[in-house]
Amino acid sequence: MTNPFIILPIVFHMAAAMVLLFFWFHVKIQKILSMVFSCIGLAISSWLFILNWQDGIQVTQAGNWSAPFGITFAADTLGTTLGLLASISLLAVSIFSTVSMRAERLKFGFFPVLHFLIMGLQGAFLTADIFNLYVWFEVVIISSFVLLTLGGKKAQLEGALKYVSLNLLASTFFLIGIAFIYGLTGTLNMADLAIKMPAIENQGLVNMTAGIFLVAFGIKSAIFPMYFWLPASYHTPPAAISAIFAGLLTKVGVYALFRMFTLLFVGDNFMSITLSGLAILTIIAGGLGAIRQQHLGKIFGYLIICHIGFLIAGIGIGSELAITGAVFYLIHDIVVKTNLFIISGFIGKLTGSQLISEQGGIYAKYPLLALLMAVPLFSLVGIPPLSGFWAKIYLVQSSFEKQEYFIAFAIILGSFLTLWVIAKVWTESFWKDQPSTIRNGKDWKSFSFQEKLGILTPIIFLSVCSLYIGLDAENIASVANRIAVDLLNPAEYIDGILSIKK
Amino acid sequence: MEVLLVIIIGLLHACGLYMLLRRSMFKMIIGLILLGNGANLLIFLIGRLVKGKPPVIEEGMKVFTDAYADPIPQALILTAIVIGFGLQSFAIILIKRVYNVLETDDLDELNSTDEEL
């Protein structure tokens, strides 16, 4: 179904960023405008999601050049769902950043770059052209480079150097993969590629291309041997920036893996074994890394890696149930990880330290706040009936069905490692008495009303979202199931893109 | 011509990887630039080279009758070069800042974010 308005999320965030640029010297106006724009962005994404849910895939061809010759944008269920989640994260982060970021950082264009970042993400989720995916990835990473280095602290610069160099390397690999795919098929449109890929005689070459793409997206989504940049960089910027990174940036790599490995590189046994193996190693490496850390940001950073493994495991198993589980986990993970980093910033403000050994006494002092923070922490572990539990059930069940016992074991082990880590965080920073040696934390009562509002609103908002995901799991599961069915039977996607000719 | 390009692409990738594996920040950036250029040339080569056949339809004709150069790889490279140029200039400025703040060019000394506290 042709609908030129599906590019509205991209155009809107670009316009929003440009409007914000006009208020460069007026940080207060930027704060208000950014919150308003984020609300409108959420409304647009919800509209697109509902439209796609009711009428199926929406397509638009740039300049009326019919596919596969022109540039195509397609809004399918996976893309619109992720777009909606990105808007939810953006709204929470834009509220949180108005009170948590120092004015000197905000002065250098934090809000415009934030909206450019979301523009890139929305573009990546909506494009149906592999070279455009590359371009949107670049929009995303250049925005993230700016956000990461904003303020220019020593640790930030160091983390940024590692992040920048590995992301540039990943982009180069992506470009090499695109070169091979174009050489093999002579097209870059994803639907057209999906038809032409199985017809290639030399499937060895296709596998090699798949390997190159796996490296490119593997670096971006921080899977097993290529994750070292993440714990080195994610905890260095302020909490608001870490939150949007944690929620969305690794997930866009996973999104690309979902697309590539269900649409283009399908049915190859070697690749699914590779993905399963990498998933197991990712889960274990992330979980063990998280246990060893003391720094709150680093603990959550390693947990991101651990949980990326669950998502990759879903692609590796490859059955409908497994993909449903992985998509469910993706939906839950974006909301919860954004919330966790916001909370880590908040705990840091309360106790004056990011090291869990130097924190403590939150539960005794602020029982209600502790209860609020318990929601995302325990959702992450997946204690039933909170979100995360159902997704893991799906994943474990599907791996037993496919007799992939190692994956089932790794997922259960990963869940226990997460539980251990969260229990450690809970005992150290919530139950333990605050050490008397360090006392540069700020009392909750001394926060101004505006600060209280700006910190609590996003946490409550995201907690309600994750409670909804857990308690109304049936609805979320039906969304995830529809995405899985669409991914495994891409006929509708291909027809939707290719059959529109004027 | 193709063989020459293949050799150049191989050399660019090899040199790029070698430079990336060095310990100096500056050499790392050079390595990334070389790799990027290698990738661009690869796209150029893989779009099949034809000499003296521009993608222009002759006068009075409606379709191509002869082999013609594929314009898409060139459009792709143009985009990739522009993007790569922007990212590389950002990276160069970043290493200059890192050098000014940390006063070292040795990547092995950039380990304060990994240290156990």
Side-chain angles (χ1 to χ4, degrees):
Chain A
M1 199 175 167
T2 315
N3 186 348
F5 292 106
I6 61 165
I7 58 165
L8 204 59
I10 309 170
V11 176
F12 174 74
H13 282 290
M14 185 174 74
M18 283 172 160
V19 170
L20 286 168
L21 281 177
F22 282 105
F23 296 95
W24 188 267
F25 296 107
H26 307 278
V27 175
K28 271 187 186 162
I29 303 177
Q30 277 189 31
K31 284 179 181 176
I32 297 162
L33 277 180
S34 173
M35 282 192 265
V36 173
F37 287 148
S38 307
C39 288
I40 303 173
L42 182 59
I44 292 174
S45 296
S46 322
W47 163 76
L48 196 59
F49 175 76
I50 293 165
L51 187 73
N52 169 71
W53 187 255
Q54 287 167 347
D55 299 348
I57 182 169
Q58 310 282 317
V59 179
T60 185
Q61 315 280 359
N64 226 354
W65 283 82
S66 60
F69 302 108
I71 292 169
T72 312
F73 286 96
D76 69 335
T77 320
L78 177 62
T80 50
T81 309
L82 286 172
L84 181 61
L85 290 163
S87 299
I88 290 174
S89 279
L90 171 71
L91 180 59
V93 169
S94 74
I95 296 171
F96 182 64
S97 56
T98 54
V99 292
S100 73
M101 299 268 287
R102 294 215 183 87
E104 56 264 38
R105 279 212 169 92
L106 292 177
K107 255 188 244 165
F108 293 100
F110 168 77
F111 287 111
V113 178
L114 188 65
H115 282 270
F116 275 126
L117 177 78
I118 299 296
M119 174 189 89
L121 288 167
Q122 299 278 11
F125 294 146
L126 291 176
T127 186
D129 180 295
I130 201 166
F131 191 78
N132 273 285
L133 187 63
Y134 166 77
V135 176
W136 290 120
F137 263 72
E138 301 301 302
V139 173
V140 170
I141 63 172
I142 192 77
S143 313
S144 63
F145 292 170
V146 176
L147 287 180
L148 196 61
T149 46
L150 210 65
K153 289 260 172 60
K154 189 179 155 190
Q156 253 179 306
L157 287 173
E158 239 181 68
L161 187 74
K162 290 161 190 170
Y163 179 80
V164 167
S165 48
L166 273 166
N167 268 288
L168 286 181
L169 188 65
S171 298
T172 313
F173 270 104
F174 194 0
L175 207 55
I176 293 170
I178 288 172
F180 279 114
I181 266 199
Y182 189 77
L184 283 170
T185 59
T187 180
L188 290 168
N189 187 293
M190 286 190 197
D192 203 22
L193 279 170
I195 295 171
K196 285 183 179 159
M197 288 302 261
I200 296 166
E201 280 173 23
N202 191 347
Q203 284 292 321
L205 214 53
V206 174
N207 273 343
M208 190 201 72
T209 317
I212 292 172
F213 276 111
L214 184 62
V215 173
F217 298 137
I219 294 175
K220 281 185 196 293
S221 55
I223 63 177
F224 167 62
M226 304 166 273
Y227 64 81
F228 293 96
W229 58 269
L230 193 148
S233 64
Y234 266 33
H235 66 283
T236 56
I241 296 174
S242 300
I244 197 111
F245 280 16
L248 298 168
L249 285 193
T250 46
K251 308 303 181 297
V252 73
V254 175
Y255 162 81
L257 282 174
F258 267 115
R259 269 265 185 278
M260 294 291 162
F261 284 85
T262 55
L263 197 61
L264 308 187
F265 311 111
V266 280
D268 187 71
N269 213 10
F270 173 70
M271 263 302 148
S272 61
I273 291 172
T274 312
L275 279 170
S276 306
L278 287 178
I280 294 168
L281 291 170
T282 310
I283 293 171
I284 294 171
L288 293 179
I291 287 177
R292 215 179 141 256
Q293 299 298 326
Q294 291 289 314
H295 187 284
L296 208 53
K298 276 190 193 177
I299 291 174
F300 293 150
Y302 272 103
L303 284 181
I304 295 177
I305 298 166
C306 176
H307 298 143
I308 290 290
F310 291 170
L311 305 170
I312 308 296
I315 314 176
I317 302 167
S319 67
E320 190 187 310
L321 194 64
I323 306 261
T324 307
V327 171
F328 197 126
Y329 202 85
L330 185 63
I331 294 171
H332 138 88
D333 206 49
I334 290 177
V335 174
V336 172
K337 287 278 158 54
T338 313
N339 206 353
L340 273 184
F341 272 83
I342 290 178
I343 283 177
S344 81
F346 179 36
I347 295 179
K349 266 189 194 243
L350 277 181
T351 57
S353 169
Q354 280 286 331
L355 296 175
I356 53 172
S357 52
E358 294 174 4
Q359 295 170 343
I362 297 176
Y363 184 74
K365 247 174 155 178
Y366 319 105
L368 276 176
L369 287 177
L371 184 69
L372 180 64
M373 291 190 246
V375 174
L377 284 169
F378 290 101
S379 301
L380 187 74
V381 184
I383 291 171
L386 295 167
S387 62
F389 171 69
W390 309 107
K392 280 176 196 159
I393 290 285
Y394 281 130
L395 282 171
V396 171
Q397 193 188 341
S398 63
S399 50
F400 272 115
E401 271 174 16
K402 281 268 205 159
Q403 291 168 345
E404 306 256 19
Y405 298 114
F406 282 116
I407 297 183
F409 174 71
I411 289 169
I412 294 167
L413 181 70
S415 307
F416 275 112
L417 288 176
T418 313
L419 177 65
W420 182 354
V421 172
I422 294 298
K424 192 172 96 174
V425 170
W426 190 259
T427 38
E428 287 274 324
S429 39
F430 286 82
W431 274 347
K432 190 186 68 184
D433 290 335
Q434 183 155 15
S436 53
T437 43
I438 301 140
R439 282 206 184 279
N440 46 2
K442 208 175 160 198
D443 199 60
W444 175 243
K445 291 196 182 77
S446 64
F447 282 61
S448 71
F449 176 71
Q450 198 193 352
E451 278 179 315
K452 284 180 182 172
L453 202 67
I455 291 170
L456 284 186
T457 319
I459 297 179
I460 292 172
F461 172 58
L462 290 172
S463 300
V464 167
C465 286
S466 61
L467 278 177
Y468 174 76
I469 293 171
L471 297 177
D472 199 8
E474 204 181 331
N475 272 336
I476 307 293
S478 70
V479 175
N481 187 254
R482 178 160 150 180
I483 293 172
V485 172
D486 280 358
L487 284 177
L488 292 175
N489 314 296
E492 196 200 349
Y493 185 78
I494 294 167
D495 285 348
I497 290 171
L498 290 182
S499 66
I500 294 157
K501 294 211 168 89
K502 286 202 172 165
Chain B
M1 182 65 181
E2 266 112 341
V3 178
L4 186 67
L5 267 177
V6 169
I7 293 168
I8 291 174
I9 292 167
L11 269 177
L12 278 173
H13 277 94
C15 296
L17 275 178
Y18 177 74
M19 289 301 241
L20 268 181
L21 297 174
R22 313 252 61 199
R23 274 169 60 183
S24 155
M25 272 191 309
F26 184 69
K27 284 176 182 162
M28 187 185 75
I29 299 292
I30 302 264
L32 284 170
I33 294 174
L34 289 178
L35 265 185
N37 284 323
N40 290 342
L41 273 182
L42 182 68
I43 298 182
F44 180 60
L45 176 71
I46 227 157
R48 286 176 194 85
L49 300 180
V50 247
K51 208 174 172 187
K53 305 268 187 220
V56 180
I57 302 173
E58 280 168 48
E59 225 178 323
M61 308 287 266
K62 286 207 164 159
V63 287
F64 283 111
T65 48
D66 200 3
Y68 65 99
D70 189 348
I72 292 179
Q74 281 151 46
L76 299 186
I77 300 167
L78 190 61
T79 317
I81 287 174
V82 173
I83 292 172
F85 186 67
L87 291 175
Q88 284 152 15
S89 29
F90 182 89
I92 289 168
I93 291 175
L94 179 70
I95 64 158
K96 185 166 185 307
R97 279 287 293 158
V98 175
Y99 180 74
N100 281 348
V101 173
L102 298 164
E103 291 175 342
T104 175
D105 186 40
D106 192 340
L107 284 169
D108 275 9
E109 286 175 27
L110 298 185
N111 50 11
S112 72
T113 59
D114 296 324
E115 267 168 20
E116 204 57 55
L117 289 157

